[in-house]
Amino acid sequence: MAEETTEVKKRTRDDFNLTDKQKNLLDRIKYESHRVAHLVGFDKFTELHSKWICNMFKEKDIYVLKAHRGSMKSSALTLFIAELMICKPNKTIIFMRKTDNDVKEIVEKVSKILHTSQFQAFSQILYGHGYNFTKDTAFEINTTLKSDLGGKSQLIALGSSGSLTGKHADWIIVDDIANRKDKDSRAEREFTKAVWQELQNVKNPEGRSIAIGTV
């Protein structure tokens, strides 16, 4: 019995054909994320936010979203990261903001979403079981949904001054890594450009990038 339990935990959605219920859930997550958002407390999400998240899922190379301050673009990104960790648990995400404190704010919100009963229920539908956390810190989150429990965590977060040495990811996600300092300082702009290029260098083949900025 113990061996069966272990095998179930290692199983991923790709190991079996999808049922109609699973297909419907994945469609809702990818195309109607505002409905998912309402379930976990983002009651101001609209179909526009769903469109943003849908584009994040569908874009095959680099997706850039620029929106006004207060448009809840970072909240949309937060929900997307949580959804991505559920839908594609074996993918590795590197998430970056300008400073470590900025990073902590988003990672904490991702963690809260993943701790909800709604996301546990999504896991039950997709995989036949829930999940536990093997890492849940201000800069890193990993769950038992990932088959390779000895490998890199699902989500690794760092500020723009953090080291990328030895890191690789399937998804590179940045949120406002350019700020007022970049507008006032050429040296800061060059530093930010170098960070973006380094992020592209640690992206795995066939990997994807998402950049969120303020208009």
Side-chain angles (χ1 to χ4, degrees):
M1 182 65 70
E3 291 183 358
E4 291 180 1
T5 302
T6 301
E7 182 62 29
V8 167
K9 284 186 176 181
K10 290 183 178 179
R11 204 172 151 194
T12 65
R13 195 185 66 253
D14 294 334
D15 294 331
F16 51 88
N17 293 325
L18 295 177
T19 65
D20 288 341
K21 190 173 184 179
Q22 290 167 333
K23 291 177 182 177
N24 290 336
L25 174 58
L26 288 173
D27 284 345
R28 173 157 292 194
I29 287 174
K30 292 180 180 180
Y31 301 107
E32 299 182 10
S33 282
H34 64 290
R35 300 185 188 280
V36 176
H38 297 165
L39 294 175
V40 295
F42 292 109
D43 55 359
K44 294 183 180 179
F45 266 46
T46 67
E47 292 183 4
L48 174 62
H49 299 101
S50 285
K51 182 178 180 180
W52 291 348
I53 292 174
C54 180
N55 289 336
M56 292 178 198
F57 270 112
K58 292 171 62 178
E59 179 56 58
K60 299 298 183 183
D61 187 15
I62 298 177
Y63 174 63
V64 178
L65 170 64
K66 291 185 177 181
H68 293 286
R69 193 172 304 279
S71 60
M72 300 181 65
K73 60 186 183 301
S74 292
S75 295
L77 182 62
T78 300
L79 180 61
F80 166 73
I81 292 173
E83 291 179 334
L84 183 60
M85 292 176 68
I86 291 291
C87 294
K88 299 182 181 293
N90 287 322
K91 298 297 185 182
T92 300
I93 306 163
I94 287 179
F95 171 67
M96 180 178 285
R97 295 187 100 188
K98 193 68 170 180
T99 70
D100 287 351
N101 285 334
D102 292 336
V103 164
K104 291 178 183 179
E105 176 188 2
I106 297 297
V107 176
E108 181 182 0
K109 290 179 180 178
V110 172
S111 176
K112 286 181 178 179
I113 293 172
L114 290 172
H115 274 89
T116 62
S117 59
Q118 287 85 0
F119 268 64
Q120 286 284 351
F122 294 164
S123 178
Q124 286 285 350
I125 293 171
L126 293 175
Y127 309 108
H129 56 80
Y131 53 86
N132 294 313
F133 291 80
T134 58
K135 284 192 178 179
D136 189 12
T137 71
F139 298 98
E140 198 166 350
I141 300 177
N142 197 53
T143 73
T144 50
L145 288 179
K146 187 172 184 181
S147 299
D148 181 10
L149 298 182
K152 302 203 181 281
S153 292
Q154 290 173 270
L155 176 63
I156 299 168
L158 63 163
S160 60
S161 297
S163 173
L164 290 169
T165 303
K167 294 182 174 63
H168 297 280
D170 301 292
W171 292 74
I172 300 295
I173 302 175
V174 300
D175 181 18
D176 279 336
I177 61 168
N179 61 12
R180 186 168 297 176
K181 287 184 179 179
D182 294 83
K183 295 179 180 180
D184 298 337
S185 168
R186 179 177 178 181
E188 189 69 24
R189 289 195 298 273
E190 292 303 318
F191 169 76
T192 300
K193 290 178 183 178
V195 170
W196 172 256
Q197 185 57 56
E198 189 176 1
L199 284 168
Q200 302 315 301
N201 291 337
V202 303
K203 182 171 64 176
N204 290 332
E206 307 301 323
R208 307 180 188 185
S209 298
I210 295 173
I212 308 297
T214 301
V215 176

